[in-house]
Amino acid sequence: MSAHADTHAHEDDHGHHHKETFITKYIFSQDHKMIAKQYLITATIMGVIAVVLSMMMRMQLAWPEEPNVIFEALLGKWAPDGVMDADIYLALVTIHGTLMVFFVLTAGLSGTFSNLLIPLQIGARDMASGFLNMISYWLFFLSSVIMIISLFVEAGPAAAGWTIYPPLSALPMAQGGSGMGMTLWLVSMAIFIASSLLGSLNYIVTVINLRTKGMSMTRLPLTIWAFFITAVIGVISFPVLLSAALLLIMDRSFGTSFFLSDIFIQGEVLHYQGGSPVLFEHLFWFLGHPEVYIVLLPALGITSEIIATNSRKPIFGYRAMVASILAIAFLSTIVWGHHMFISGMNPFLGSVFTFTTLLIAIPSAVKAFNYITTLWKGNLQMNPAMLFSIGLVSTFITGGLTGIILGDSALDINVHDTYFVVAHFHLVMGISALYGMFAGIYHWFPRMFGRMLNKNLGYIHFWVTAISAYGVFFPMHFIGMAGLPRRYYTNSNFPLFDDLADVNVVITIFAVIGGVFQIVFLWNFFYSIFYGKKAEQNPWKSNTLEWTAPVKHIHGNWPGEIPHVHRWAYDYSKPGHDNDFVPQNIPLKDGEEELQH
Ligand code: HEM
Ligand SMILES: [Cu+2]
């Protein structure tokens, strides 16, 4: 395998591989390390937009119907005299959710870290197809541009929620954003899915075919296992959303009735017959649920690596961790019905979905247990990457526990579509995956940019983010249990909820503090790319192969032969060695036993 990769790189260096120009190096690059940076920076921009939208929603919820200069400045005619329109609130919810789930945490996590780490950690010169990798990034870029353009459509952006249920999404005349806004959303997402599929196929083929000598599947770092299985889930489930989107486009523009039936608008009967909006829900959630693992698994893989390295201990239960990833991946494809308990589903079928959903608690608990056991009595290095990883373990548990409640149909029905759900999914998926992304950035920044991030700014970033994230999402459980519905732009017409107004103000204050402090991170990130302290070869004393490649990126990753692998990635504090880490490329000593838990 490696011999083949070597000859390939040889050709690249001396044969057809000509001098790099600015355009081939920075724009149409086929080098996985550059593509990783392109993904990261594009996703960061989308993230900033998504956070700004969430700040506007929170301000609206805290002080509804009060004029706000920020609304007036950013929303223009949708906030006459600074008072927000109901329709535009729904559009903010929709675009915020879409950007966060797909553009930041799907493309941002896999696009950045699978790209950066798969070749470097398995010992490959690059992705299986650099060309497809480049196309994948540029399709992502195109879909991002279209999504942003949709924010400026005269009648408003899409406003049917990130789940775009029909009939709201299917009838172009339903509301402002249902026309051009919704069309652009669908086109953008179709291109996004094409990008994601090309990326995933590349990751899968690379992991299967291009591992260096000695890198057996059971010696793979858990990061790679996570990225690999994430790509497999993506290939299985994204095409289903693509077909749902295409059928929806047919319903909207070509007179079909896949998802619509017997609709009257203002006394007039529309022509639709025989379709079913519930069919759409099934198709949507067949992707939608696995999607939460598409964002979460890479974050969990990143955390495994960072926690083991910074505990200076082998990861606890390597095989159990791999088995959990596989079990989660399999189960994630047979639980989608838990989003549809109130769609008129037969209660017996509901109980089947409850059963499969609760089963996921087992591998999830195994993972949480193994993180904590790895930390236990470790020689903990509390750098920002480690703090964010521990933060992930915390939110994964607090968010996961409410999943047990929501997964149970008898309980879910009571809190469906309330803030309880908003609290649950933000913690378990949104914040957890975001922490995984931050952890990955702090840990691999030196590998990406050859410089270090400032640690002290990292500490400030972590603590303010962690406190404000709980400040925002913890109280939402209670207002949710009190019945406050989600996706409402105001509740001031319901005296029932007057008591909750103060809680909403407190939540918003935490949200604004947390949001504004992300500037500390952005500053640290962009400043350090140019002026950060120069990175050492292996700053975290880690075992994985990426730290054996030169700090300054070269095409093909390693100057000479690709290192061979002789052990798993977790030989930390192994007795009989002088250092508390033994990188994967160091041969076993005479009589040394290979560890493998
Ligand atoms: C910066 C911190 C965040 C704040 C303050 C925030 C706030 C909000 C608010 C106020 C809503 C609307 C609730 C409603 O009216 O129903 C919402 C919805 C949503 N958010 Fe966030 N959010 C944040 C981060 C995230 C992250 C990291 C994700 C990633 C998964 C995310 C995903 C979503 C989704 C999927 C929705 C639902 C959209 C829908 O109902 O269609 N959010 N968020
Ligand atoms: Cu789900």
Side-chain angles (χ1 to χ4, degrees), residues 6-21:
D6 280 355
T7 30
H8 180 72
H10 190 79
E11 281 164 16
D12 269 3
D13 286 345
H14 308 288
H16 65 256
H17 189 72
H18 29 258
K19 266 224 159 65
E20 289 197 320
T21 60

Side-chain angles (χ1 to χ4, degrees), residues 9 14 83 180 285 292 425 479 496 531:
H14 308 288
V83 180
M180 182 57 98
W285 287 111
V292 309
F425 76 71
I479 56 178
L496 162 72
Y531 307 110

Side-chain angles (χ1 to χ4, degrees), residues 228-268:
F228 176 56
I229 299 301
T230 301
V232 173
I233 311 179
V235 170
I236 293 172
S237 55
F238 260 123
V240 181
L241 180 63
L242 181 59
S243 45
L246 295 179
L247 296 182
L248 193 55
I249 292 176
M250 306 274 279
D251 274 8
R252 289 167 55 82
S253 307
F254 302 103
T256 57
S257 313
F258 291 105
F259 303 128
L260 295 167
S261 175
D262 306 323
I263 297 201
F264 299 78
I265 289 196
Q266 292 171 343
E268 196 191 324

Side-chain angles (χ1 to χ4, degrees), residues 47 50-59 61 89-90 92-102 104-105 159-164 285 292 295 417-419 422 425-435 465 468-469 472-473 476 484-490 507-508 510-512 514-515 518:
V51 168
V52 170
L53 300 182
S54 75
M55 296 297 119
M56 288 199 277
M57 291 188 282
R58 277 315 321 171
M59 287 190 268
L61 292 169
Y89 180 84
L90 251 186
L92 296 179
V93 175
T94 304
I95 304 293
H96 161 78
T98 306
L99 292 187
M100 282 293 193
V101 174
F102 295 115
V104 181
L105 294 176
W162 82 284
T163 54
I164 56 158
W285 287 111
V292 309
V295 313
D417 264 341
T418 69
Y419 267 84
V422 180
F425 76 71
H426 273 96
L427 283 178
V428 77
M429 150 172 86
I431 299 301
S432 296
L434 202 62
Y435 284 0
T465 304
S468 48
V472 170
F473 297 113
M476 281 188 191
L484 199 73
R486 69 189 275 209
R487 293 183 178 170
Y488 277 30
Y489 86 117
T490 173
I507 292 178
T508 297
F510 276 115
V512 171
Q518 300 311 309

Side-chain angles (χ1 to χ4, degrees), residues 30-72:
Q30 301 192 16
D31 185 317
H32 70 107
K33 303 182 289 298
M34 181 56 66
I35 295 176
K37 292 186 208 175
Q38 293 175 325
Y39 265 107
L40 179 56
I41 291 185
T42 313
T44 305
I45 295 169
M46 299 305 262
V48 170
I49 299 173
V51 168
V52 170
L53 300 182
S54 75
M55 296 297 119
M56 288 199 277
M57 291 188 282
R58 277 315 321 171
M59 287 190 268
Q60 164 67 15
L61 292 169
W63 304 287
E65 283 123 40
E66 268 178 45
N68 183 323
V69 286
I70 300 180
F71 297 167
E72 198 164 7

Side-chain angles (χ1 to χ4, degrees), residues 521-542:
F521 168 74
L522 291 177
W523 162 261
N524 196 358
F525 183 85
F526 287 108
Y527 181 86
S528 304
I529 291 180
F530 301 104
Y531 307 110
K533 207 176 88 192
K534 286 246 163 61
E536 308 161 28
Q537 178 71 37
N538 186 356
W540 319 117
K541 301 196 179 351
S542 172

